[in-house]
């Protein structure tokens, strides 16, 4: 197992100590105490902690609305949690939380506020950015989306030939794709029966072709979802869709009935040929990966209706209220964040698995991968200073039950520590109770097996062959998150829970979680390489590998540029 770095845990403690003019460093009391705590916990097995404390579940679980978090199967004691909460206090999580809710420009490198909480601020308390309460415009866009969605869903909105819309295609990528796609999938039981949702993100022409091939232009509505409206993949796919549509519709005037836009860039939307009346606006204080609550969620609203979409917002708002008001030691996002820091910075865990036991949540791991890794995958702090501690882990995962037959071997018997979140609903939407019982039994069995393991003696009692191979060390941490039912409200709570977890970790690691400069370089280079792919002269301006690959492509590609 990885050892902690000499300087780990210098994060918030240092910053806070510097602000208070006190002595800073790895010998700061919280750091020292957490390191000592790690040493003593490392020698303990969770099996023994459970045996010694029948109230361990009550001590380490928390219910917020319909979300139950059991975090008792973690390598913690009350002392550990007390120290981790002190770390959060010293990082000034409470202060940063108020700064976020207060509309301060905590995204310092882009000079922006971070106010996705305003999008689901169902209490309508004023939220101020640059001296302006943003709530009236937030509410106006929700109302505009609702009216539009109702017209499409009811069949009042007609395509150019008079047919009703049967298919909605969201064209977007990254934050303008993953959230809506995940939510539409998660809320499948609530979807309009005669309105199918499709998502096109990949610039690989195979994606747009595959989606369009089954569609009829007369009954298809495109949502071009792009905050900037300049993203190459999205604009290329949108232009292809426009050409495909016009090949049949013939008249550019028909575009108005079949293309709408979600963007912050009115000019570019108009230039594309979309009527600004059919543009749904959002604002620079909504980060792409935090935007499913905004007009970027239009495809969700079209799928499930305005009422259900509002329930999704209500759920997120309930989690926001909990996050803002609950004391740190009873605060679900804070607890999840601190447990993550515990394994990341003290146990040297490199990754964190998201394991939904719910077919409808199968895209949640990919969604959270972006939310977390793009937010906290940083190696300089908010002031640009290189960090000397680990920041965001690798987030990965897949449907848990399928994972059991694939990658769980490594979770149980590999050499790495992989903390994991297991997520399930108590009541399924379907009526296949026998299926759900098996699902639940496996969900419970896996967290138990990871925690308990199977000792040599227990193994020997069952078998005499290959005994060493069949021993399970156990002591692998997991969180169990139980929703009552995967309703829009519960989904809203769940997603907001993770958003705030990411926020808290960003504060503890002193990061700006809301920029993403790491995606820039590749984009710049791609712009430079694109014309070189079909240049006349041999390309020699890159490194030997890149040059050779470009030249190989030039030689071998039988295509001419589009
Ligand atoms: C998210 C990122 C990124 C973004 C996409 C799409 O936080 O910024 O994933 O959402 O690059 O950007 P546009 O919405 O501007 O097309």
């Amino acid at each position: 197992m990885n050892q902690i770095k000499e300087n780990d845990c210098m994060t918030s403690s240092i910053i806070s100590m510097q602000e208070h003019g006190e002595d800073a460093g790895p010998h700061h009391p919280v750091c020292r105490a957490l390191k000592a705590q790690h040493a003593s916990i490392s020698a303990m097995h969770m099996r023994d902690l459970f045996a010694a404390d029948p109230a361990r579940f009550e001590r380490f679980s928390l219910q917020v609305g319909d979300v139950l978090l059991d975090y008792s199967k973690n390598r913690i004691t009350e002392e550990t949690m007390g120290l981790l909460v002190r770390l959060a206090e010293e990082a000034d999580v409470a202060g940063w939380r108020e700064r976020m809710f207060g509309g301060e420009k905590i995204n310092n490198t882009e000079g922006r506020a971070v106010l996705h909480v305003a999008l689901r601020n169902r209490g309508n308390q004023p939220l101020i950015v640059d001296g302006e309460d943003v709530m009236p415009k937030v509410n106006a866009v929700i109302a505009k989306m609702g009216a539009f969605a109702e017209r499409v869903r009811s069949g009042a909105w007609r395509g150019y030939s008079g047919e009703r819309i049967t298919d909605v295609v969201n064209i977007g990528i990254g934050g303008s794709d993953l959230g809506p796609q995940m939510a539409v999938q998660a809320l499948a039981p609530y979807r309009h029966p005669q309105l199918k949702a499709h998502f096109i993100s990949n610039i690989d022409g195979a994606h747009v072709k595959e989606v369009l091939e089954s569609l009829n232009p007369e009954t298809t509505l495109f949502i071009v979802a792009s905050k900037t409206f300049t993203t190459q993949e999205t604009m290329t796919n949108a232009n292809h869709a426009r050409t495909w549509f016009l090949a049949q519709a013939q008249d550019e005037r028909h575009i108005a009935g079949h293309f709408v836009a979600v963007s912050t860039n009115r000019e570019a939307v108009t230039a594309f040929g979309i009527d600004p009346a059919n543009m749904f606006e959002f604002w620079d204080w909504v980060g792409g990966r935090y935007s499913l609550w905004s007009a970027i969620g239009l495809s969700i609203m079209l799928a499930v209706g305005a009422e259900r979409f509002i329930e999704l917002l209500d759920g997120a708002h309930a989690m926001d209220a909990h996050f803002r008001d609950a004391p740190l030691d009873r605060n679900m996002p804070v607890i999840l964040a601190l447990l993550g820091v515990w394994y990341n910075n003290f146990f040297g865990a490199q990754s964190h698995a998201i394991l939904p036991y719910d077919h409808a949540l199968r895209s949640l791991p990919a969604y959270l991968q972006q939310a977390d890794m793009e937010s906290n995958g940083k190696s300089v702090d908010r002031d640009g200073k290189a960090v000397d501690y680990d920041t965001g882990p690798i987030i990965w995962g897949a449907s848990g039950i399928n994972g059991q037959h694939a990658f769980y071997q490594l979770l149980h018997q590999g050499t790495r520590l992989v903390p994991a979140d297991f997520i399930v609903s108590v009541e399924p939407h379907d009526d296949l109770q026998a299926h759900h019982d098996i699902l639940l039994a496996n969900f419970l069995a896996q967290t138990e097996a990871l925690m308990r393991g199977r000792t040599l003696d227990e193994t020997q009692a069952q078998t005499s062959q290959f005994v060493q191979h069949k021993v399970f060390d156990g002591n692998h941490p997991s969180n169990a998150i139980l929703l009552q039912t995967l309703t829009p409200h519960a989904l809203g709570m769940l997603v907001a829970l993770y958003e705030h977890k990411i926020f808290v970790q960003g504060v503890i690691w002193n990061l700006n979680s809301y920029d993403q400069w790491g995606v820039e370089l590749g984009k710049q280079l791609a712009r430079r390489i694109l014309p070189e792919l079909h240049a006349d002269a041999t390309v020699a301006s890159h490194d030997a590998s890149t040059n050779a690959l470009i030249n190989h492509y030039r030689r071998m590609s039988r295509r001419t540029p589009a």
Side-chain angles (χ1 to χ4, degrees), residues 16-338:
S16 139
M17 290 297 104
Q18 281 168 346
E19 277 172 10
H20 294 95
E22 292 172 46
D23 188 21
H27 306 301
H28 176 264
V30 177
C31 296
R32 209 169 42 214
L34 275 164
K35 284 182 183 183
Q37 182 68 193
H38 171 257
S40 72
I41 291 276
S42 295
M44 295 180 196
H45 199 293
M46 279 191 277
R47 201 190 301 133
D48 302 321
L49 295 174
F50 271 97
D53 179 8
R56 189 169 166 87
F57 169 80
E58 285 72 27
R59 207 179 300 290
F60 297 125
S61 62
L62 186 62
Q63 174 108 31
V64 180
D66 277 351
V67 182
L68 170 71
L69 167 67
D70 169 19
Y71 60 103
S72 60
K73 292 192 184 89
N74 276 290
R75 297 176 68 173
I76 51 167
T77 61
E78 285 210 309
E79 196 186 350
T80 322
M81 289 314 292
L83 289 168
L84 288 169
V85 168
R86 260 183 65 200
L87 190 67
E89 284 164 358
E90 294 197 356
D92 195 22
V93 166
W96 282 103
R97 185 178 57 188
E98 280 319 293
R99 269 164 235 150
M100 175 173 73
F101 278 93
E104 278 188 37
K105 298 194 172 167
I106 61 170
N107 175 354
N108 60 328
T109 61
E110 297 182 315
R112 293 174 182 171
V114 175
L115 262 190
H116 42 277
V117 292
L119 302 165
R120 65 254 185 152
N121 175 21
R122 304 304 302 159
N124 263 319
Q125 302 89 338
L127 286 176
I128 312 292
V129 177
D130 288 332
E132 182 201 356
D133 178 11
V134 298
M135 289 317 298
K137 54 188 190 187
V138 167
N139 291 329
V141 172
I142 295 175
K144 181 173 169 179
M145 289 165 66
F148 173 72
E150 178 49 31
R151 285 180 68 197
V152 175
R153 288 168 58 84
S154 68
W157 181 286
R158 296 278 158 168
Y160 71 91
S161 66
E163 296 286 313
R164 65 181 288 159
I165 299 296
T166 57
D167 293 88
V168 174
V169 183
N170 187 84
I171 304 178
I173 196 166
S176 300
D177 168 69
L178 288 163
Q181 189 173 15
M182 178 277 294
V184 167
Q185 208 169 62
L187 301 178
Y190 300 90
R191 289 206 303 240
H192 191 296
Q194 288 158 288
L195 202 55
K196 285 205 207 85
H198 311 264
F199 293 85
I200 298 174
S201 55
N202 200 326
I203 190 61
D204 184 338
H207 195 183
V208 66
K209 284 195 97 159
E210 180 187 84
V211 173
L212 295 185
E213 106 196 329
S214 65
L215 299 181
N216 174 0
E218 293 172 50
T219 56
T220 300
L221 176 76
F222 292 96
I223 303 173
V224 185
S226 175
K227 181 172 166 179
T228 54
F229 229 72
T230 56
T231 303
Q232 192 178 34
E233 295 88 338
T234 298
M235 298 326 296
T236 307
N237 280 326
N239 277 310
H240 180 81
R242 192 174 182 275
T243 307
W244 172 86
F245 171 77
L246 283 174
Q248 185 161 324
Q250 296 294 322
D251 190 338
E252 294 218 349
R253 281 175 303 183
H254 294 325
I255 286 181
H258 292 266
F259 284 80
V260 300
V262 178
S263 187
T264 57
N265 187 347
R266 181 173 290 264
E267 241 171 58
V269 168
T270 316
F272 183 87
I274 293 178
D275 183 349
N278 295 337
M279 168 178 162
F280 299 85
E281 200 188 358
F282 65 117
W283 308 276
D284 72 359
W285 42 262
V286 183
R289 54 194 173 276
Y290 296 90
S291 66
L292 75 84
W293 326 99
S294 72
I296 288 289
L298 186 60
S299 54
I300 309 171
M301 199 192 260
L302 283 162
V304 303
E307 216 174 298
R308 298 300 194 187
F309 186 77
I310 299 284
E311 287 168 19
L312 178 79
L313 301 183
D314 284 338
H317 181 57
M319 187 54 76
D320 294 344
H322 164 76
F323 175 55
R324 199 172 183 179
D325 298 337
L328 297 184
D329 62 348
R330 300 295 296 159
N331 195 309
M332 206 180 270
V334 173
I335 289 169
L336 280 187
L338 291 174

